[in-house]
Amino acid sequence: MRIARWTIDGSAVGEGFVIGERVVPFPDALTVRDVLAGGLAEAHRLLARAEDEGAGGAALADVRLLAPLVPAAIRDFVAFEEHVEGVSASVDGKSEVVPEWYQAPTFYFTNPHTVLGPGEVLRPPVSSRLDFELEVAAVIGGSGGANLSAEEAAGTIFGYTIMNDWSARDLQSREMRVRLGPAKGKDFGTSLGPWIVTADEFEPYLDDDGFLAIEAEVFVNDERIGHDLVSNMGWPFPELVAYASRNSRVVAGDVLGSGTTGNGGCLAELWGRRGEFTPPPLADGDTVRMVVEGIGALVGSVGAAVPVPELPAARVRSRSRSRQERVAP
C-alpha cells in the first residue's frame, strides 16, 4: 500500500492512496496524519473502501507529488558504520568510529519546517561543500509510545519512505568542533518521498536478524555515486524507534531516518576516503536521484544558493561577576 500527498495545477492538497497509476483520495476527507494515527490495520480497511467505492481520483502522471506527510518531528540517526568511518575524515579531519558509536544508536533532531517533496528545488545556504545523504526513513503510526521494547516499537512502524538529508559540510564541520550540532549545516532542507510504503510490504525483505535487506542507490546527474544494502545498519529499525522512545515518546507522524548508507551514500564519505573533493560538491543545476528497492525513486535538484545577512562574531567580554553601576548622566 502506498500513501501520498499531491496537487494538481497548484490546486488544494490531495491526500490518499496510490492505486496502480492513479491517486485516490482517502474516504471521509481524511488526511495522511489521520490515517497514520489510525494505524496500519485501519489503513487497509480504508483502502478496501476506496477500491470498493471506485473513487475516481486522478492519473499519477497528472499530479505533482508533495512530501508524503507533514512530519511531527524528524530524528536522523547515524546507523551505518561504514559511513561514520569515511565521513569523519571529511568533517572532523580524522577517520575513526569512536567506541561510543557502538553503544547506542545516536541521532539528532532536524527541521520539520524545511521538508521538500519529490522534484522540488533545494535553495541551499552559501556553501563550498554541499552534499546529499541517501537514507531510508521509518514513519510512525498508531498511538506511538514511550519506553518501548524493540518488539513494541516494531508495531509502531507504519511504513517507510526515502530521505535525502541535504548537508553543507563546511558549516557542519565548524559547528561540530563546538561539540554541538549539526545545526545550520543541515536544517535548510530534507527531502522525503515519493510516498510512504506500508511496513507489511517489506516483510519479504526482512533477514533473519530483522534487518531490511533492500538495495539503495544514489545518482548525481545520472552517474551512480553510491549503492548499499540497508541491512548493513548497525541496528534494525525497531531498535532505533525503541531508543528514540526512551524517557521520551514517539507519535504518529514522526520520521526516523536511518542515517546515511555506506559505500558512497554521500559525497563526504568519498572525500574522506580519497583525501580530495572527488566527486565534486553539489552545485546549482545538479540533480540527485535516489532509488530504493520496494519504495521507488526520489529526485531533487539544486538551485542557487541563498545569501543571508552577516552576523558578528562573539564579543570578548570581561567575565565579571557583578554588575557595574551605571553613572547617571
Side-chain angles (χ1 to χ4, degrees):
M1 176 169 40
R2 294 178 292 172
I3 286 175
R5 298 168 65 247
W6 64 85
T7 63
I8 302 175
D9 297 328
S11 61
V13 174
E15 307 194 32
F17 301 108
V18 180
I19 303 175
E21 294 301 314
R22 298 187 69 77
V23 292
V24 177
F26 293 130
D28 306 325
L30 295 175
T31 66
V32 169
R33 181 65 65 85
D34 296 330
V35 173
L36 292 175
L40 193 50
E42 178 60 24
H44 276 288
R45 285 190 285 271
L46 288 169
L47 175 61
R49 274 186 60 191
E51 291 174 329
D52 289 344
E53 294 169 5
L60 183 58
D62 293 337
V63 306
R64 181 172 71 85
L65 290 174
L66 306 174
L69 77 163
V70 178
I74 304 175
R75 298 170 179 85
D76 196 6
F77 285 80
V78 55
F80 287 82
E81 182 183 29
E82 187 176 10
H83 166 74
V84 176
E85 184 181 74
V87 82
S88 59
S90 177
V91 173
D92 300 324
K94 180 182 179 182
S95 181
E96 63 175 347
V97 182
V98 297
E100 290 80 3
W101 181 85
Y102 299 94
Q103 296 171 9
T106 304
F107 67 90
Y108 76 99
F109 282 97
T110 194
N111 193 348
H113 308 303
T114 54
V115 168
L116 302 169
E120 285 198 64
V121 177
L122 172 77
R123 296 294 306 279
V126 175
S127 170
S128 62
R129 283 190 273 161
L130 184 64
D131 200 356
F132 58 82
E133 291 198 349
L134 169 61
E135 306 192 26
V136 172
V139 179
I140 301 300
S143 58
N147 299 315
L148 300 169
S149 67
E151 284 187 358
E152 292 168 334
T156 72
I157 299 176
F158 184 94
Y160 298 91
T161 192
I162 304 172
M163 177 168 160
N164 182 356
D165 176 32
W166 302 95
S167 304
R169 299 300 187 186
D170 42 1
L171 303 183
Q172 178 187 357
S173 180
R174 175 185 59 77
E175 291 171 334
M176 297 187 76
R177 288 195 180 97
V178 191
R179 301 295 186 265
L180 196 62
K184 305 312 293 183
K186 295 276 193 175
D187 78 343
F188 53 87
T190 302
S191 295
L192 297 174
W195 35 61
I196 300 167
V197 179
T198 52
D200 54 306
E201 299 282 335
F202 292 91
E203 290 177 4
Y205 297 102
L206 293 174
D207 68 16
D208 293 340
D209 296 316
F211 289 82
L212 273 180
I214 55 178
E215 296 180 352
E217 301 175 282
V218 59
F219 302 79
V220 176
N221 302 327
D222 293 326
E223 176 186 355
R224 190 167 83 160
I225 301 298
H227 63 99
D228 201 3
L229 278 177
V230 175
S231 52
N232 286 328
M233 295 165 65
W235 299 264
F237 274 103
E239 293 177 13
L240 302 187
V241 177
Y243 187 73
S245 77
R246 280 189 178 181
N247 307 110
S248 185
R249 186 167 194 86
V250 293
V251 303
D254 279 357
V255 171
L256 287 79
S258 63
T260 310
T261 62
N263 195 40
C266 69
L267 296 173
E269 179 200 330
L270 301 177
W271 299 338
R273 294 187 186 282
R274 297 171 180 175
E276 60 183 21
F277 294 120
T278 305
L282 297 175
D284 186 359
D286 284 342
T287 297
V288 177
R289 177 167 54 94
M290 297 178 171
V291 181
V292 176
E293 185 179 12
I295 301 178
L298 174 64
V299 179
S301 58
V302 178
V306 179
V308 294
E310 292 290 333
L311 290 175
R315 283 71 157 176
V316 177
R317 305 292 287 167
S318 68
R319 301 190 185 185
S320 61
R321 305 298 182 218
S322 61
R323 284 195 310 275
Q324 291 182 346
E325 294 296 330
R326 287 190 175 186
V327 178

